[in-house]
Each structure stands twice: as structure tokens, then as C-alpha cells.
């Protein structure tokens, strides 16, 4: 999940949304929007009311991932991974628990479907059938 202090409610609502995702058996990694200067992050975290544990669970985005997030224009933003498959889907702001849980489950099912499709044997290239 990519978070930004510029999306006012996202930091306040993040602990609840993280808890819902973890209750739904997702491993959650929260990342700071790299377009926000460190001083603004510091001020926002002080004002956010997040406890020390939640602050420690908010990480800097690795530099090698910056190009992936450069297209993001709405925060919070999440990516859901399953093995080597990825499902991107901007969440529509802060969501109530039920809508957030449904959104996560939809992504899980989409990824499971993709994974099962890629595991199926493809069409034979050789038109001759073995005897």
C-alpha cells in the first residue's frame, strides 16, 4: 500500500484498513509516497496520531520501485501480489471495512484465476498428434 499525508484521512484510517487486510490473511507492507519530502512526512506523522508501532510499519519506497509508482495519481494506492503475479487497483479513497474486504477478495480471486490460467497447458504448436 502506498500512502501519502496529502490524502488527509489515509493516515488516520490506515491502522484500521491494515488490520482488515491482515484479518483477511494478506501480508501488508505500507510504503511512503516518495514524492512527499521527508520534512512533510515527519510533520504529518507527528500530527497523524499513529502510534509508534504503526509509524515503524511505514517504510520508505525502495528507489528501484519509484518508476512503478510514478504513474500513481490517487492515494492511497495498493498493489496485491500472489507469487509472481500482480494486481493493481487504486482504491477509491478510504473505504469502509466491508467494501475494503470485498475489494481485497476480488483481487485475490483475480490473481488466483490468472495463476490457474498460466498453469494450464497451452495449445500444441505441432499439429501432429503423438501416436
Amino acid at each position: 500500500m502506498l500512502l501519502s499525508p496529502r490524502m488527509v484521512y489515509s493516515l488516520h484510517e490506515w491502522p484500521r484498513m491494515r488490520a482488515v487486510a491482515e484479518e483477511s490473511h494478506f501480508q501488508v507492507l505500507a510504503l511512503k509516497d516518495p514524492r512527499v519530502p521527508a520534512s512533510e512526512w515527519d510533520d504529518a506523522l507527528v500530527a497523524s496520531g499513529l502510534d509508534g508501532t504503526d509509524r515503524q510499519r511505514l517504510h520508505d519506497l525502495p528507489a528501484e520501485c519509484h518508476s512503478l509508482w510514478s504513474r500513481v495519481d490517487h492515494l492511497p494506492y495498493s498493489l496485491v501480489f500472489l507469487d509472481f503475479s500482480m494486481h493493481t487497483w487504486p482504491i477509491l479513497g478510504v473505504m469502509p471495512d466491508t467494501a475494503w474486504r470485498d475489494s481485497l477478495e476480488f483481487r485475490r480471486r483475480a490473481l488466483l484465476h490468472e495463476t490457474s490460467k498460466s498453469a494450464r497447458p497451452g495449445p500444441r504448436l505441432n499439429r501432429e498428434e503423438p501416436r
Side-chain angles (χ1 to χ4, degrees):
M1 178 69 70
L2 184 66
L3 298 170
S4 174
R6 294 177 181 171
M7 184 67 165
V8 177
Y9 294 107
S10 66
L11 291 182
H12 295 287
E13 294 290 330
W14 173 242
R16 177 188 58 79
M17 292 179 73
R18 176 191 41 77
V20 168
E22 288 174 343
E23 289 166 7
S24 299
H25 307 289
F26 285 85
Q27 292 178 333
V28 179
L29 178 62
L31 302 167
K32 296 178 192 174
D33 183 347
R35 299 168 289 194
V36 176
S39 61
E40 186 178 340
W41 265 111
D42 292 342
D43 292 344
L45 289 174
V46 167
S48 71
L50 293 179
D51 66 23
T53 301
D54 283 320
R55 289 184 195 186
Q56 290 174 348
R57 294 180 77 180
L58 187 58
H59 304 281
D60 290 329
L61 182 70
E64 58 268 24
C65 297
H66 283 209
S67 64
L68 177 66
W69 295 105
S70 65
R71 297 181 298 257
V72 174
D73 63 359
H74 182 81
L75 297 168
Y77 191 88
S78 62
L79 292 172
V80 178
F81 294 89
L82 177 66
D83 298 326
F84 296 104
S85 299
M86 176 177 68
H87 197 267
T88 61
W89 193 319
I91 65 173
L92 304 176
V94 173
M95 301 174 94
D97 291 355
T98 301
W100 177 229
R101 193 175 289 112
D102 290 348
S103 175
L104 290 170
E105 185 56 32
F106 177 81
R107 296 178 210 195
R108 182 194 327 260
R109 288 183 184 175
L111 285 170
L112 287 169
H113 178 73
E114 280 301 311
T115 302
S116 69
K117 275 184 18 183
S118 66
R120 293 182 209 142
R124 296 180 62 81
L125 297 178
N126 183 349
R127 293 182 184 253
E128 290 183 35
E129 293 294 325
R131 297 178 194 232

